[in-house]
Amino acid sequence: MTRVGLVLGGGGVVGQAYHAGVLAVLEHDLGFDPRTADMIVGTSAGSITGTLLRLGVRAEDLAAWTVKAPLSDDGALLRRIAETPPPQLAPLNPLRMALRPMQLPNRHMIRRALIHPWRFRPLAAGMALMAPGQHDIVEQLAALREVEQPGWPASALWICAVRRRDGHRVVFGRPGSPTAPTHLAVAASCAVPGYFAPVQIGGRSYIDGGAHSPTNAALLRGTGLDVAIVVSPMSGPPGLRPDFYAASRRHSARLLQREVRALEAAGIRTVVFQPGPAEQAVMGDDMMSSERLDQVIQQAFLGAGARAAEPEVAEALRMAAEAA
């Protein structure tokens, strides 16, 4: 039996719309139900999408919900979430966030850098030291708290966050990791440093799992999977643009390439969906903006359809669909 893993990367509100468009293609056109994935790894926005899938939400309903279109008969849970409108968010301004005073590294972070230098990621550490943001992500996800089931989802769901005191990645839901209510783990994974306040779990502060990696796809190594489907809103070719956002996409792409190589070296056939120029044009630079989500879903659907038609990709997705 083919075993399938689904990796859902970060990307804010816009990234969630990109997930919805890609997953709708997999479900509607290719017959792969993302809810049936043997394992889901979610980071930041991907942790929200992954949790909704584990709660039984269909991919097509995710797309409809994002653009406030009618839901199917299976969309009762999303209708409940829609009853609690989320607070409006200010635009995401990375430059303003970066210019705020940063904290000095504490002994835990210094110790980790000295004892485990091969595991230490300076960028993750730097983001952990950023001044706390003003928005409360736990309140933003209040509706998810209301619909979550007791305990952790029965099917494998790994949610990535970064421990603020030392920049260490923590994977909630993985055996041996700290326990947490699902909505708090998701909130921690989404707590963009400098924009949202860190999330407290078990006496520790956590920030966005994207500080370690926008996808954390390499976590699937050693899990016995045959196929990995990676949806990565934060990567994709940015062209020759010299700005911050293009540099961020290049960094994300480099990390993703390393992670894909690691998965394939482990014998896991890997398919990546990431936004091309058409998708990036409508996604824009503010990943918290909800102004053009319908266009994002449309372009994601078209781009994913073209990607899925490539022979090697089609074969891997056929294997995944047959396993569902």
Side-chain angles (χ1 to χ4, degrees), residues 152-153 155-159 170-180 185:
W152 199 261
S155 299
L157 173 65
W158 290 3
I159 294 177
V170 173
V171 185
F172 294 104
R174 183 170 65 172
S177 294
T179 58

Side-chain angles (χ1 to χ4, degrees), residues 41-252:
V41 174
T43 300
S44 198
S47 70
I48 299 176
T49 303
T51 298
L52 291 174
L53 292 173
R54 285 306 194 218
L55 289 174
V57 175
R58 294 178 55 196
E60 288 187 342
D61 277 333
L62 281 175
W65 174 59
T66 303
V67 297
K68 298 179 173 56
L71 302 174
S72 73
D73 293 340
D74 298 327
L77 185 141
L78 288 180
R79 275 189 281 272
R80 287 180 58 192
I81 291 177
E83 293 173 358
T84 307
Q88 293 298 312
L89 293 174
L92 182 64
N93 189 323
L95 179 60
R96 183 181 302 169
M97 290 154 48
L99 291 177
R100 296 176 64 198
M102 298 183 67
Q103 296 182 337
L104 294 175
N106 59 29
R107 60 184 176 86
H108 302 288
M109 188 171 289
I110 295 172
R111 181 175 182 271
R112 176 174 167 76
L114 293 175
I115 296 179
H116 303 292
W118 58 92
R119 296 181 184 174
F120 186 75
R121 294 201 173 186
L123 181 59
M127 295 180 77
L129 295 173
M130 291 179 68
Q134 305 301 311
H135 299 288
D136 183 357
I137 185 60
V138 177
E139 181 62 25
Q140 178 78 9
L141 297 173
L144 185 61
R145 179 181 61 221
E146 299 302 320
V147 300
E148 73 178 11
Q149 300 166 351
W152 199 261
S155 299
L157 173 65
W158 290 3
I159 294 177
C160 304
V162 168
R163 193 165 58 208
R164 192 164 182 251
R165 74 173 190 175
D166 57 4
H168 174 68
R169 179 179 63 190
V170 173
V171 185
F172 294 104
R174 183 170 65 172
S177 294
T179 58
T182 309
H183 76 277
L184 281 185
V186 171
S189 185
C190 294
V192 178
Y195 187 82
F196 289 116
V199 174
Q200 300 293 319
I201 298 176
R204 296 281 184 264
S205 294
Y206 294 91
I207 61 170
D208 196 315
H212 182 89
S213 162
T215 59
N216 292 289
L219 285 171
L220 293 182
R221 289 178 300 177
T223 56
L225 297 173
D226 302 293
V227 176
I229 300 171
V230 181
V231 186
S232 176
M234 295 294 291
S235 58
L240 300 176
R241 292 165 49 200
D243 56 40
F244 168 84
Y245 303 99
S248 176
R249 284 198 180 277
R250 293 188 191 99
H251 172 71
S252 298

